[in-house]
């Protein structure tokens, strides 16, 4: 992998990740852009104890542009985009309309391929491996920023999810705090460790799933399963067999095997609802240990956390979505219409031949 860092016209960082070491990236951003001005701030909810990012400047962000005006495609002739070069393998840049900025963290866009009409599932294993390297590198770099406590790599796919740009891409949020969902995991981890005399909760969960009926696929280095208490109609958790706290901890064998496993999962998601259905909308989310102190979680150290990916869709059946209504949105109590065992069975049935 070759990494080339440069700057866009308004000063934002742009990084190219190339599979060839002899690739030259010297194109200049020719757009007349002013410096980006953001007003992002993080506010704490005194009752719930969680955080809300206030980012009013995002109201003006690009919204469903036509394909020939896509800001994530390579620049071509007089059509100038966020990517000055005429091609790229993987590109990462600071978001022009970030939810988090400055002391409130950082937001980046990850372009998986220059092919506007592709999806992550269409990538080759080599391309998917390069994305993994980009995620890992950005996790390492962002962890060194003084305002960053946790790094979150994710992809939103599909208009039903709220995606405003059709080009295959994901995002990275670098939070200045431990996110509420991770804090819940850490509290459960601490309670289980104390209550069992030191047993790791993530290890216990994985061991139980391996002995059950919700395994979707397993390989030498990875295990994918539908969790016992799945929140979403079709939800898969992907774990490396060897527990590591973040992407940086994956060994070479797990890295090599990941693209094949992950691409297979994404392709199965697109086959869940049968032929002729539109692409399955999904969210794919990497859960990594925070880089900040864990003092509030008694007895827990960073290495206790287990890196894993959570992949889920809001589509519950053909033509119908799972909406977060009263119980989910009002009280954070999910109601799942698809039994996890049935979801796992369906995801096994649609395996590639």
């Amino acid at each position: 992998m070759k990494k080339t860092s440069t700057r866009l016209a308004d000063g934002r960082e742009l990084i190219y990740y190339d599979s060839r070491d002899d690739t030259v990236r010297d194109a200049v951003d020719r757009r007349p852009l002013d410096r980006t001005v953001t007003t992002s701030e993080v506010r704490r909810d005194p009752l719930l104890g969680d955080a809300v990012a206030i980012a009013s400047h995002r109201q003006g962000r690009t919204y469903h542009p036509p394909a020939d005006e896509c800001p994530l495609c390579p620049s071509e002739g007089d059509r100038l985009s966020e990517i000055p070069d005429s091609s790229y393998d993987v590109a990462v840049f600071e978001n022009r309309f970030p939810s988090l900025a400055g002391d409130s963290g950082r937001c980046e866009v990850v372009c998986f391929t220059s092919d506007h009409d592709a999806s992550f599932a269409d990538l080759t294993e080599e391309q998917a491996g390069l994305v993994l390297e980009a995620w890992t590198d950005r996790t390492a770099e962002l962890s060194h920023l003084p305002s960053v406590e946790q790094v979150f790599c994710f992809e939103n796919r599909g208009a039903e999810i709220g995606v405003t740009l059709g080009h295959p891409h994901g995002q990275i949020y670098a939070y200045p705090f431990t996110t509420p969902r991770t804090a819940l995991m850490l509290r459960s981890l601490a309670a289980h460790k104390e209550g069992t005399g030191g047993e790791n909760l993530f290890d216990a969960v994985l061991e139980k799933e391996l002995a059950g009926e919700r395994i979707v696929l397993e390989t030498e280095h990875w295990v994918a399963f539908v969790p016992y208490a799945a929140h979403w109609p079709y939800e898969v958790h992907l774990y490396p067999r060897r527990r590591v706290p973040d992407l940086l901890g994956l060994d070479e064998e797990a890295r090599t095997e990941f693209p094949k496993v992950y691409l297979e999962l994404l392709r199965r998601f697109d086959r869940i609802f049968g032929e002729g259905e539109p692409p399955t909308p999904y969210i794919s989310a990497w859960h990594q240990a925070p880089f900040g102190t864990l003092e509030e979680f008694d007895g827990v150290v960073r290495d206790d956390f287990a890196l894993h990916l959570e992949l889920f869709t809001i589509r519950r059946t053909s033509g119908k979505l799972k909406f977060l209504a009263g119980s989910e949105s009002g009280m954070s109590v999910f109601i799942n219409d698809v039994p996890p065992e049935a979801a796992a069975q369906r995801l096994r049935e649609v395996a590639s031949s």
Side-chain angles (χ1 to χ4, degrees):
M1 179 193 77
K2 181 180 181 181
K3 174 184 175 183
T4 305
S5 180
T6 184
R7 292 282 170 180
L8 296 171
D10 55 7
R12 289 175 294 128
E13 186 177 17
L14 165 67
I15 308 125
Y16 293 101
Y17 293 89
D18 289 291
S19 57
R20 290 175 56 97
D21 291 337
D22 59 352
T23 303
V24 176
R25 299 295 183 187
D26 55 7
V28 176
D29 186 2
R30 295 181 282 125
R31 297 173 297 172
L33 297 180
D34 294 327
R35 287 267 173 179
T36 301
V37 177
T38 62
T39 56
S40 175
E41 65 171 306
V42 174
R43 298 183 182 181
R44 290 280 181 179
D45 186 314
L47 295 180
L48 297 179
D50 60 6
V52 177
I54 309 296
S56 59
H57 62 277
R58 283 173 55 79
Q59 289 282 34
R61 67 188 186 273
T62 308
Y63 186 81
H64 292 302
D68 61 356
E69 296 179 17
C70 174
L72 307 185
C73 287
S75 293
E76 183 177 354
D78 293 331
R79 191 187 63 77
L80 306 178
S81 73
E82 293 278 56
I83 317 294
D85 214 322
S86 59
S87 67
Y88 64 86
D89 290 346
V90 175
V92 178
F93 59 87
E94 291 182 74
N95 198 322
R96 191 177 179 187
F97 303 97
S99 302
L100 307 165
D103 293 339
S104 296
R106 174 160 156 153
C107 292
E108 298 181 342
V109 177
V110 183
C111 299
F112 303 138
T113 172
S114 60
D115 184 352
H116 180 85
D117 297 318
S119 69
F120 201 118
D122 296 323
L123 300 183
T124 66
E125 290 184 23
E126 180 183 14
Q127 289 174 307
L130 187 59
V131 175
L132 176 62
E133 291 303 313
W135 283 331
T136 305
D137 180 72
R138 297 315 301 152
T139 296
E141 293 292 328
L142 293 170
S143 71
H144 296 310
L145 297 180
S147 63
V148 172
E149 189 165 312
Q150 186 172 8
V151 179
F152 176 46
C153 307
F154 66 100
E155 180 192 2
N156 299 326
R157 204 277 284 268
E160 300 94 329
I161 296 292
V163 175
T164 57
L165 297 176
H167 195 102
H169 73 287
Q171 299 180 67
I172 301 175
Y173 278 19
Y175 297 102
F177 51 81
T178 297
T179 60
R181 188 173 176 85
T182 302
L184 286 174
M185 293 183 194
L186 291 169
R187 292 189 189 103
S188 296
L189 188 61
H192 187 85
K193 189 174 185 178
E194 180 180 5
T196 59
E199 182 182 66
N200 184 278
L201 179 57
F202 287 108
D203 292 350
V205 167
L206 185 56
E207 181 180 0
K208 185 174 182 179
E209 292 292 354
L210 280 167
E213 57 181 316
R214 290 179 296 274
I215 294 293
V216 174
L217 66 87
E218 56 180 311
T219 63
E220 183 178 356
H221 300 286
W222 294 89
V223 178
F225 60 89
V226 177
Y228 170 74
H231 290 59
W232 299 94
Y234 291 91
E235 175 181 343
V236 173
H237 292 190
L238 178 63
Y239 278 69
R241 287 185 186 268
R242 184 178 69 87
R243 173 166 42 91
V244 295
D246 53 39
L247 289 165
L248 284 72
L250 291 174
D251 58 27
E252 193 59 35
E253 290 80 6
R255 289 183 181 282
T256 299
E257 196 177 64
F258 170 78
K260 182 177 181 178
V261 174
Y262 186 49
L263 290 171
E264 172 63 18
L265 284 178
L266 293 182
R267 290 161 185 168
R268 291 191 193 189
F269 259 60
D270 274 342
R271 292 194 292 268
I272 292 173
F273 303 104
E275 296 292 332
E277 286 291 318
T280 301
Y282 65 74
I283 293 175
S284 178
W286 279 110
H287 291 262
Q288 306 190 79
F291 289 96
T293 176
L294 299 180
E295 291 179 359
E296 63 180 291
F297 308 104
D298 293 341
V300 171
V301 297
R302 238 184 138 257
D303 285 344
D304 289 333
F305 194 86
L307 167 76
H308 63 284
L309 183 141
E310 298 185 6
L311 172 67
F312 60 90
T313 180
I314 62 170
R315 187 179 292 165
R316 58 188 175 88
T317 190
S318 180
K320 297 179 180 178
L321 302 181
K322 165 65 179 175
F323 292 102
L324 300 189
S327 186
E328 292 90 353
S329 295
M331 297 302 285
S332 293
V333 178
F334 275 68
I335 300 170
N336 190 353
D337 301 323
V338 179
E341 293 74 21
Q345 175 61 32
R346 179 57 181 159
L347 286 163
R348 289 193 297 266
E349 290 172 352
V350 294
S352 296
S353 56

